[in-house]
Amino acid sequence: MSSPLNRAEAFCQRFGLRVPILLAPMAGACPPALSAAVANAGGLGACGALLMQPAAIAAWAADIRSTSNGPFQVNLWTPDPAPHRDAAHEAALRDFLAQWGPDVPPAAAEATPPDFAAQCEAILEAAPPIVSSIMGLYPPDFVRRLKAKGISWWANISTVAEARAAEEAGADVIVAQGMEAGGHRGCFDAAKAESSMVGLFALVPAVADAVSLPVVATGGIADARGVAAALTLGASAAQIGTGFLRTPEARLAPAWADALARTPPEGTAVTRAFSGRTGRSIATAYTRAAAAIVPAPYPVQRALTQAMRDAAGKAGDIERMQAWAGQSAMLARAEPAGDLVRALWQGALTLLGS
Ligand SMILES: Cc1cc2nc3c(=O)[nH]c(=O)nc-3n(C[C@H](O)[C@H](O)[C@H](O)COP(=O)(O)O)c2cc1C
């Protein structure tokens, strides 16, 4: 069994990092300046491209390349099967949502995410050093084209079975997402997202034993103790999402950033009420009330809640905002991202006895 620091060093060398601290890809919360700050401090930048049109993906990559020489990953969800539509159910949901925001017209449900194939072409064109998948595995042809361009494929997984499938499909790195994680859970099968909740302390060693690829740990890591623990458990690097959301570079809505600071681990909730896919957010009046409804499938629920989410954002109303948060939200620090990366790694080195 290799030592945590040797493992981390080998990983850093392979991917051009100085420290094994990675910004998590976060759709809608990954401005290039945040990635540049993390990459310039020796870590890995990240772009959550789910909601970005091809031109925006190209612009994001150009932006970080103009402000950092450091490596970065671009992340894309694999598409879900077409959702099952139920007009009567959607009408009931629109009535429910009208109690929480503006009226929702029937046409709102038709909004569709950007085209996956076009996003893949934009990513191949932008040629980031690393592309990461979540919610499933990439089509074999896309994997072949990534590899032909020398782009590494990192696969997010949430169970040991998913890790094995990703290794089999040719992934270069396994990103093990514990159920503590903020934002959407990366389960391959949306229907199993609540029933297959595995915590990071159990997931990382089990995945490290099951596959022969490097493992990145993510979910609930937000201070040096978490980084040191992740490496000790068998990870080669620690990936942090919520822990970076209070940095000035994240430019998060102030109501959301402030709420993170007062959210204890038990103050988050796993809910499908924002998008139709299971994710962890701050527990709010909306998530509690929505526990009584059955949300529409992704991406219909996301489209139906758009007006409420926009209104909540404008009003700075945390009780209706889509305020994703991992269970370690309270540990997130409001300090520059580069300083945070350095402090996390220094602290982890001390804890690991180096
Ligand atoms: C605001 C937000 C948006 C996210 N969006 C994505 C995404 O688009 N793709 C993805 O793979 N993971 C996404 N995630 C999950 C993160 O990549 C990562 O798994 C998670 O942040 C780790 O847990 P932590 O927040 O406790 O650090 C998101 C997380 C947050 C908080």
Side-chain angles (χ1 to χ4, degrees), residues 23-30 47-51 73 75-77 132-135 156 175-178 180-186 217-222 239-245 252 256 280 302 322-329:
L23 173 65
M26 294 184 280
C30 269
C47 172
L50 169 72
L51 303 170
Q73 61 168 307
N75 167 276
L76 211 51
W77 291 24
S132 67
S133 56
I134 188 161
M135 308 300 185
N156 277 271
V175 182
Q177 188 199 44
E180 303 88 337
H184 285 100
R185 275 180 59 62
T218 198
I221 304 171
Q239 182 175 273
I240 298 175
T242 307
F244 279 112
L245 286 180
L252 206 69
W256 181 0
R280 186 177 293 282
R302 185 200 289 279
Q322 177 180 274
W324 298 127
Q327 289 186 323
S328 295

Side-chain angles (χ1 to χ4, degrees), residues 102 253 306-317 320-321:
Q306 183 78 51
M308 175 194 73
R309 291 185 284 113
D310 289 349
K314 277 198 193 102
D317 179 3
R320 298 179 295 150
M321 276 168 98

